[in-house]
Amino acid sequence: LAARGIAGTGQTGYHVGSSPRGVRGRRSRTEQETVMQEIFPLAAGVAIGALAARFVSARLRLPVMFALGLLFGLAASWASGELAVSWGFLSVDTALVIGAALVTAALAGAGQRRAAGRRVRVE
């Protein structure tokens, strides 16, 4: 760090002896907003994947997840104000939603198949 000229200069944004979360371990308002901007797309994706795995036929599951992923990705980008900065954020938020939906649906499907296999053996 000293070779780069940042050691001891405070260029990291933190005072010596403090943590990234501050003295009391709390996040600043902007850090909380950043975390919430990433939680909404992931939570929406998990909800979409779980509901699609449970209630949507296998044939329509992927198209429904992609359509809802695009819709909720757009909503996440708009709600966070990222669309005002760049439309590129739409692809990031949409990818988060669709990725979380796909992983959740795959895990839910595997869990359903596993539970069905156990029911067959018990009977």
Side-chain angles (χ1 to χ4, degrees):
L1 292 174
R4 293 184 184 170
I6 60 173
T9 62
Q11 290 182 2
T12 59
Y14 304 114
H15 296 289
V16 176
S18 69
S19 69
R21 292 189 179 180
V23 177
R24 295 187 182 143
R26 295 184 183 161
R27 295 177 189 244
S28 69
R29 183 173 178 88
T30 55
E31 288 175 331
Q32 290 173 349
E33 290 171 356
T34 301
V35 169
M36 288 306 296
Q37 290 173 3
E38 301 307 320
I39 288 176
F40 176 75
L42 290 174
V46 168
I48 290 168
L51 293 173
R54 179 78 174 127
F55 298 111
V56 179
S57 70
R59 187 173 137 175
L60 295 175
R61 194 167 296 145
L62 279 176
V64 166
M65 286 193 299
F66 276 97
L68 290 175
L70 182 60
L71 181 69
F72 278 92
L74 179 64
S77 294
W78 175 78
S80 66
E82 293 172 338
L83 285 180
V85 176
S86 171
W87 279 86
F89 287 108
L90 177 62
S91 63
V92 173
D93 288 334
T94 301
L96 281 171
V97 174
I98 292 173
L102 291 172
V103 169
T104 302
L107 291 174
Q112 288 174 353
R113 285 187 298 277
R114 186 174 183 185
R118 286 184 180 170
R119 275 187 248 125
V120 170
R121 284 187 228 131
V122 171
E123 294 176 0

